[in-house]
């Protein structure tokens, strides 16, 4: 099955390079190019790509707002944020907006291709530890939730699921969570799937953010 990719970047040479790279893969195909966020929104609505490679710094509608709207209006489309620095505010904002991960613009071609395939398969491409570092850096900017709202969402989880969510929010991998909680790794994966379903979250990254926003992970 071919993965259809929309490329959004205000640099024509980068768009061309990404397009050529994708075109050379038997399972990936570029379906369109956008030079700004507004164009990305219009093309995403028209083409319904599987994945959008989204630059954050573009004229007019930036990549963050475009990501937020694409996630809202095209729920089957996944977004990969392209950023210059791995711990800048744009990367964090992109994850908050619903992106399935972020990549450095100077990432190696094989890593980019793997990331696209991973995201198209419904997974996130930012490791738990990197997500944890992002949230630690930008924790002061994470808004508090009303106590009632926190309780309502957390109330959907079983005690064990809440335990697993705490570990996910702490940056542990499934294997590490399994060792910590004395569970099989497959059991941890099943718990995580139920957590995402109950909390209506897209992926692991969103689960980590929820753990911070709901104060399951306390400042230290």
């Amino acid at each position: 099955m071919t993965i259809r990719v929309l490329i959004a970047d205000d640099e024509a040479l980068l768009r061309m390079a990404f397009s050529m790279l994708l075109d050379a893969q038997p399972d990936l195909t570029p379906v369109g190019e956008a030079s700004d966020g507004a164009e990305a929104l219009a093309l995403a609505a028209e083409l319904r790509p599987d994945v959008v490679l989204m630059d954050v710094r573009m004229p007019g509608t930036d990549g963050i707002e475009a990501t937020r709207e694409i996630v809202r209006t095209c729920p089957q489309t996944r977004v990969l944020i392209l950023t210059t620095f791995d711990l800048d505010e744009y990367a964090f904002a992109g994850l908050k907006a619903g992106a399935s991960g972020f990549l450095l613009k100077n990432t190696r071609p094989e890593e980019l291709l793997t990331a696209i395939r991973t995201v198209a398969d419904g997974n996130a491409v930012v490791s738990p530890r990197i997500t944890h570092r992002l949230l630690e850096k930008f924790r002061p900017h994470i808004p508090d939730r009303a106590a009632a709202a926190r309780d309502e969402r957390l109330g959907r989880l079983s005690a064990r699921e809440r335990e697993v969510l705490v570990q996910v929010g702490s940056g542990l991998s499934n294997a590490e969570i399994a060792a910590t909680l004395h569970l099989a790794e497959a059991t941890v994966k099943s718990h995580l799937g139920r957590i995402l379903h109950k909390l209506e979250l897209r992926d692991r990254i969103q689960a980590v953010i929820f753990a911070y926003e709901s104060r399951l992970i306390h400042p230290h």
Side-chain angles (χ1 to χ4, degrees):
M1 183 175 178
T2 301
I3 299 170
R4 304 167 69 253
V5 183
L6 172 64
I7 302 163
D9 198 294
D10 62 345
E11 296 186 38
L13 284 176
L14 274 178
R15 294 198 306 272
M16 181 186 301
F18 287 141
S19 183
M20 291 174 63
L21 178 65
L22 296 175
D23 240 349
Q25 307 303 310
D27 61 332
L28 303 175
T29 185
V31 295
E33 297 181 14
S35 59
D36 57 44
E39 191 175 5
L41 275 172
L43 287 176
E46 175 188 347
L47 302 172
R48 300 287 169 167
D50 300 301
V51 177
V52 179
L53 292 181
M54 181 75 74
D55 186 20
V56 290
R57 303 181 187 183
M58 295 185 291
T61 302
D62 65 18
I64 304 304
E65 182 58 33
T67 295
R68 185 177 294 108
E69 286 301 304
I70 288 173
V71 168
R72 183 180 67 84
T73 59
C74 307
Q76 299 307 311
T77 298
R78 300 285 174 159
V79 179
L80 276 178
I81 292 289
L82 298 171
T83 183
T84 305
F85 303 103
D86 64 345
L87 287 179
D88 69 7
E89 67 273 19
Y90 296 102
F92 177 74
L95 298 180
K96 279 286 292 174
S100 294
F102 71 93
L103 296 172
L104 295 178
K105 279 194 173 182
N106 64 354
T107 191
R108 292 180 298 179
E110 60 270 24
E111 292 176 347
L112 172 62
L113 296 172
T114 297
I116 292 171
R117 294 181 179 111
T118 300
V119 165
D121 198 37
N123 298 305
V125 299
V126 182
S127 74
R129 293 199 185 284
I130 292 177
T131 307
H132 182 63
R133 286 167 54 204
L134 267 173
L135 291 170
E136 283 295 319
K137 184 176 181 67
F138 293 103
R139 183 177 51 208
H141 306 294
I142 298 176
D144 196 8
R145 291 178 182 269
R150 288 203 299 270
D151 292 344
E152 188 277 327
R153 297 194 73 184
L154 288 174
R156 304 175 189 175
L157 303 181
S158 68
R160 176 60 86 182
E161 288 164 352
R162 190 179 296 209
E163 279 184 308
V164 170
L165 180 57
V166 168
Q167 301 302 318
V168 170
S170 297
L172 272 62
S173 67
N174 285 356
E176 291 169 330
I177 295 171
T180 300
L181 299 181
H182 307 289
L183 299 170
E185 189 171 346
T187 302
V188 172
K189 186 175 180 180
S190 296
H191 281 311
L192 181 56
R194 286 193 292 272
I195 289 167
L196 296 179
H197 176 73
K198 289 181 178 181
L199 299 181
E200 302 173 23
L201 303 174
R202 288 168 62 90
D203 50 39
R204 193 185 197 99
I205 294 172
Q206 297 294 298
V208 175
I209 292 173
F210 177 86
Y212 268 74
E213 288 186 324
S214 62
R215 296 308 190 258
L216 282 176
I217 307 299
H218 298 290
H220 55 262

